[in-house]
Amino acid sequence: MNHAKRRILAVLVAAAVLAVTAACGGRVGENGRIGVVYLNAEGYYAGVKRGLRATLDRQGRGPQLLQINIQSDPSRESSFINTMSSAKADALIVSPASATASVPAMRLAKESGVPVICYNTCIEDAQARKYVRAFVLGSPEEFGRVSGEQMADHFLRAGIRDPQVGIINCEQFEVCVQRREGFERALKAKVPGARIVASQQGLQLDEAVERATQLLIAHRDLDAFYGEAGSQTLGAVRAVETRGRIGKTVVFGGDMSVDAAKKLQDGRVLKGVADISGIKVGQLAGKAAQDVLAGRPPGRFIIPAPVDRYLGAQDGARWLREHPDGIP
């Protein structure tokens, strides 16, 4: 992008910030400007937004947030971060689209003097430690381990010693690879005869449904699915329902939402869910941003977020009671 175009985009960003400020009162940027990147439109990111606002607006006069949903598109992410870098934002809070393709944008932000805080996903570790100030992350290994243990216990109760398992994955992102590794270790530690018959990527819900349906057709005796994140879990559930496999194929997976909680409460297909609350992650990312704005020295690079576990109909009902507005 040439210099003239960057200046035009910076002006547009400033105009957008002005519009937000005009609606809320106050002067543009008087308490700082923070760019926020949401990876997609899943409910988790609504939780992150709520957590950020609750933390940054605690004093009633928080920094201005300029936000974008990049729809898992590295080019949209790059354009936004280039603009934030040109506009000299005070910080960026980002769930990057790619461990590798997002590196140049992170490098530009660092070189432009814009501190970057990752959450949920980040660029590859060596590059992250060069260009990123902090990374809010619930342990992906623990996240996967929760589902592996839940699935193993289900099979042991059912007397199934050699189950066939399919995985619907999101392994464009390194954290999803680590979730699978944690899942497989935990499952096979308790049920050594378990066999992963296939793993297919389905990032969006419709794609996840299609991939899960294909696996059910190819493996007619499939005992279970593991969904590495929200769309993958719900996609597997929907495929089991539409293919008439209720009572034959169960699903365990990640990320609570209203739909996931209702399916867990129903109990016929979805049996257990591991979750990292978007609200809690947003609060932690907001606190890290406050440290940046206050000029406090960075603490530890990895800021751990808690991993929660939900099992069975009662936990589904409890989640719905605790989240009446559906924000996870």
Side-chain angles (χ1 to χ4, degrees), residues 121-292:
T121 62
C122 203
I123 54 178
E124 55 191 15
D125 188 65
Q127 302 298 318
R129 292 181 183 273
K130 289 169 62 177
Y131 304 126
V132 175
R133 181 72 62 90
F135 183 10
V136 180
L137 177 68
S139 168
E141 291 86 359
E142 182 183 354
F143 190 98
R145 178 175 60 79
V146 168
S147 292
E149 291 176 348
Q150 289 178 336
M151 185 182 290
D153 289 343
H154 169 83
F155 287 139
L156 291 175
R157 287 193 299 270
I160 301 173
R161 305 294 172 171
D162 55 351
Q164 297 184 37
V165 179
I167 296 176
I168 306 301
N169 74 65
C170 48
E171 294 185 14
Q172 174 177 318
F173 311 107
E174 179 62 24
V175 293
C176 292
V177 176
Q178 295 168 344
R179 287 179 178 185
R180 173 178 50 77
E181 291 171 346
F183 164 77
E184 289 192 29
R185 280 194 294 269
L187 173 62
K188 292 182 179 181
K190 287 191 168 188
V191 186
R195 184 163 63 95
I196 308 300
V197 298
S199 179
Q200 294 287 330
Q201 180 168 286
L203 296 181
Q204 306 300 323
L205 179 59
D206 289 347
E207 183 184 13
V209 173
E210 182 179 354
R211 297 293 177 268
T213 300
Q214 291 169 349
L215 290 188
L216 287 171
I217 293 171
H219 303 277
R220 297 181 182 276
D221 296 323
L222 197 70
D223 295 291
F225 277 113
Y226 172 53
E228 292 177 352
S231 291
Q232 294 75 51
T233 300
L234 291 173
V237 171
R238 187 175 297 178
V240 169
E241 291 172 341
T242 57
R243 292 294 301 176
R245 293 288 302 176
I246 295 175
K248 300 175 182 177
T249 304
V250 298
V251 176
F252 292 82
D255 297 343
M256 285 298 284
S257 63
V258 170
D259 288 341
K262 287 180 177 178
K263 293 299 183 184
L264 190 60
Q265 185 179 28
D266 175 79
R268 293 181 299 164
V269 179
L270 185 60
K271 302 296 185 178
V273 178
D275 186 56
I276 298 170
S277 165
I279 294 173
K280 294 176 184 177
V281 167
Q283 290 169 342
L284 291 168
K287 176 61 169 60
Q290 286 177 327
D291 290 342
V292 166

Side-chain angles (χ1 to χ4, degrees), residues 15 18 25-26 33 50 59 62 69-70 81 89 94 96 100 111 128 135 206 222 237 241-242 245 264 282 285 314:
L18 178 62
R33 300 177 183 179
R50 172 168 293 183
Q59 306 302 320
N69 169 14
I70 61 170
I81 293 178
V94 186
T100 53
E111 292 172 349
F135 183 10
D206 289 347
L222 197 70
V237 171
E241 291 172 341
T242 57
R245 293 288 302 176
L264 190 60
Q314 288 186 340

